[in-house]
Amino acid sequence: MNAFEHPSVDNGEFTSYQLTYAIILRRQPTMYVVNLLLPSFFLMTVDLFSFVLPPQNVDRSAFKMTLILGYTVFLLLMNELLPVTGNSIPLINVFFSMCMALMVGSLLETIVITNMMCGSIRDLPMPNWLRVLFLKYFALVVCMGKANSDSTSSENPDGLGEEPSVPGNGEGQLGSRDGQALQTADPSVVELQHLGEELQAIQRHLQKKPDAVDQNAEDWKRIGLVIDRFLFWALHMGPVAPLNCSEPNTQSLLAAFKTDIFPFNAVRPVNQLTTPTNISIYFTLYAILGVDEKAQVLETFIWQAMTWRIEFLSWDPEECGTDVVTVPRNNLWRPDIVINEFVDKNKAPDTFYVRVNSSGYVTDGMPVKLKSSCNLNIYTFPFDMQKCSFTFHSYMHNNLSVSLDFGKAVEDILSQSKLLMKTMGEWELLDMTADKISLVSYESTWDELVYYVTLRRRATLYVVNLIIPSCFLITLDLFSFILPPQEVDRSAFKMTLILGYTVFLLLMNELLPVTGNTIPLLNVFFSICLALMVASLLETIIITNLMHNSQAYPAAPHWLTFIIIDVIGRLVCLRRKKTPEQGFVLPNHGSLVKMKVGDAAGGPEKETEAVTELRKLRRQLQDIRHHVFSAAEAESRGDDWILIGSIVDRFLFYLYAIFISVSFFTIVALWIHQEAV
């Protein structure tokens, strides 16, 4: 505890001294470590070890989204333990925000990695610099060097997939020389050759991607694993007769007051009642206690001072032994000055004395806990500035009896208030102006002194606790478009995200202002974000249906394909892919060659058992081929619907990104502009 003394100037005439005791307290952190820090470390550790989950086999994104939801609920429930102030942001709040940012970043990384593992990005050609950077250098850093293996033995150990050399001209017709040779060949050999052609046709249809594409997909997959491992390691680390005093002491002066001054406390202290009393008023704003937007009330603590002159009072300081004396307030006449905006009684401590100097000037200073009405406009919350007024006037006396004037320049009041202000909370005193108004009423004129106080809300608390978490969640919803809907249940991910965002808004509702005058722009922003999340969920449901059931749909209408594929598809750079035509014709053979069995005299002709079995096998392969080709034809009919779904998905992704970018830059610009004012 320290004590020191410093002067405090009231009105330039008197200087008083006050003693200030500074008490140093230390908070006991055990409760906060157990209830806040340790659970946060536990959840961060779980998020760290979630990198061990294989993204190609486990829906890691859903796991991380659930973890973020749990961490958000934990922070909101523990919000009562955290200090709420606008002066500065506690370091523990910054720590929690960083933990949330790391969780969101790891979830975004998981979404990208999942797309590399299962999504359509594997079909894109990989740049050589990217392959060298990640597979050669980053892989060595994270101890994931590429193993050398025999491509032939690893990709095709049994020699399967190689096209057999089947005689023919590529169109299913036998050559002339080979045809003549088959006239005398064994019918079993002929059937085996036909069987090979059937297998070759099926193989050509099922083999859709060349080896280069498969290798490209493996490279994308390996880059995803390298990035995943790298991030895992990174996160680990007028002149009147004077009073006559019989003696130069206070007792003599007070005795003179009792006989010459105190009996006249019921009337204005003037020699002629037609002479107005000049009242000088000023105040010092010591604290901004709070703002109630719903009740439109501003609560402040001020030190109000009034000065006026008792015309028939003066004394000789040498004769009476003092220049200033304090007397009970109730023994002197006091002006009935009120503040128009008062909505509650003064709850400040009572003071009982006023100060009187030898010239007859009375200074009455008193603390006022001012609860005043104020027209609050919170449309730009939390970047809003409010202008409230304090109007001083006499309740009973017009300007013929009481004349009001400013006791200090408003610039001096502003500077002294900023210097002595102890508590502002989330509000900052920005400016102060004053004006004198003559109010005409009932054929009389009253003087009014109006002080306009401009306050600015400190937005840091709301940016950290409201806007940044909301931006995190909306960014997650944006990047969820990268998840391939044909491989990952994107709808469940988005539904969990909407649930978390709804819980976040409900629990953070106490920080939002409640008023019936205007709707804050921030509330509109939250509503639009929620609407976009719901719209993206509905779009995901439709896209998922198109991806899995499009083969059962009829052909897409021409107008729909023109608007979405030809027009919107160009805007989002997504067009139809040119698919190569099948480079072969189905083999069509005539009747099987029969083998003659019997004596030389021309015995009866009959088919051997081998030829009969081969004919049955060939018919079964033809049925398989017909089934495969029928499925391919049905799949081709659904390609337009799948392309329409992909274009709509990407178009909504672009709209989402534009909205988030514009909102982000607008909030940052407002924040920077407010800090610069």
Side-chain angles (χ1 to χ4, degrees), residues 171-172 194 197-198 201 584-589 618 622 625:
E171 297 180 354
H194 295 335
E197 292 180 2
E198 295 290 345
F584 62 94
V585 179
L586 300 180
N588 186 14
H589 304 286
R618 180 184 176 188
Q622 288 178 344
R625 182 188 64 188

Side-chain angles (χ1 to χ4, degrees), residues 120 481 485-486 490 539-540 542-544 546-547 556-577 638-656:
S120 58
F481 282 91
Q486 65 274 18
R490 191 203 291 178
E539 182 266 350
T540 297
I542 296 175
I543 295 302
T544 304
L546 288 178
M547 292 297 180
H558 178 71
W559 62 270
L560 185 62
T561 57
F562 174 76
I563 294 177
I564 296 182
I565 298 179
D566 297 337
V567 179
I568 302 180
R570 291 182 178 180
L571 295 178
V572 299
C573 301
L574 193 62
R575 304 297 303 277
R576 271 195 187 94
K577 295 182 180 180
D639 288 343
D640 285 345
W641 286 111
I642 294 177
L643 182 59
I644 288 173
S646 301
I647 292 175
V648 172
D649 195 47
R650 184 174 294 186
F651 182 70
L652 185 59
F653 172 76
Y654 286 168
L655 289 181
Y656 221 137

Side-chain angles (χ1 to χ4, degrees), residues 320-488:
C320 295
T322 182
D323 185 51
V324 178
V325 66
T326 58
V327 298
R329 177 181 286 111
N330 296 330
N331 291 335
L332 296 179
W333 177 89
R334 295 177 62 252
D336 56 340
I337 301 300
V338 296
I339 300 177
N340 285 351
E341 292 81 4
F342 243 127
V343 294
D344 199 358
K345 65 179 181 179
N346 181 20
K347 297 180 180 180
D350 294 330
T351 56
F352 304 97
Y353 296 93
V354 296
R355 187 170 54 209
V356 184
N357 66 4
S358 60
S359 300
Y361 283 94
V362 181
T363 301
D364 184 5
M366 58 183 297
V368 178
K369 189 176 182 181
L370 180 58
K371 211 170 186 179
S372 60
S373 62
C374 181
N375 187 15
L376 301 173
N377 185 7
I378 57 173
Y379 180 72
T380 57
F381 172 88
F383 306 103
D384 54 330
M385 290 188 298
Q386 307 296 340
K387 191 173 184 179
C388 301
S389 62
F390 300 152
T391 305
F392 297 85
H393 78 110
S394 173
Y395 183 77
M396 182 61 65
H397 301 88
N398 57 21
N399 61 355
L400 298 178
S401 300
V402 171
S403 176
L404 302 183
D405 199 3
F406 297 106
K408 279 187 178 182
V410 66
E411 294 80 7
D412 297 336
I413 296 176
L414 176 62
S415 60
Q416 187 174 10
S417 297
K418 289 184 177 181
L419 180 63
L420 299 178
M421 186 168 289
K422 301 300 182 181
T423 301
M424 289 187 292
E426 64 175 305
W427 293 92
E428 178 184 3
L429 178 60
L430 193 63
D431 193 13
M432 187 182 297
T433 58
D435 193 12
K436 182 177 181 180
I437 301 175
S438 295
L439 179 64
V440 179
S441 178
Y442 298 104
E443 298 180 356
S444 299
T445 304
W446 278 262
D447 287 343
E448 288 186 348
L449 300 181
V450 184
Y451 289 89
Y452 299 98
V453 180
T454 303
L455 307 176
R456 180 175 62 184
R457 193 190 304 266
R458 295 182 173 182
T460 306
L461 172 70
Y462 300 94
V463 170
V464 173
N465 292 335
L466 280 177
I467 298 180
I468 290 181
S470 181
C471 290
F472 285 161
L473 295 176
I474 201 71
T475 304
L476 286 178
D477 192 60
L478 171 66
F479 276 86
S480 66
F481 282 91
I482 302 178
L483 292 174
Q486 65 274 18
E487 302 287 346
V488 179

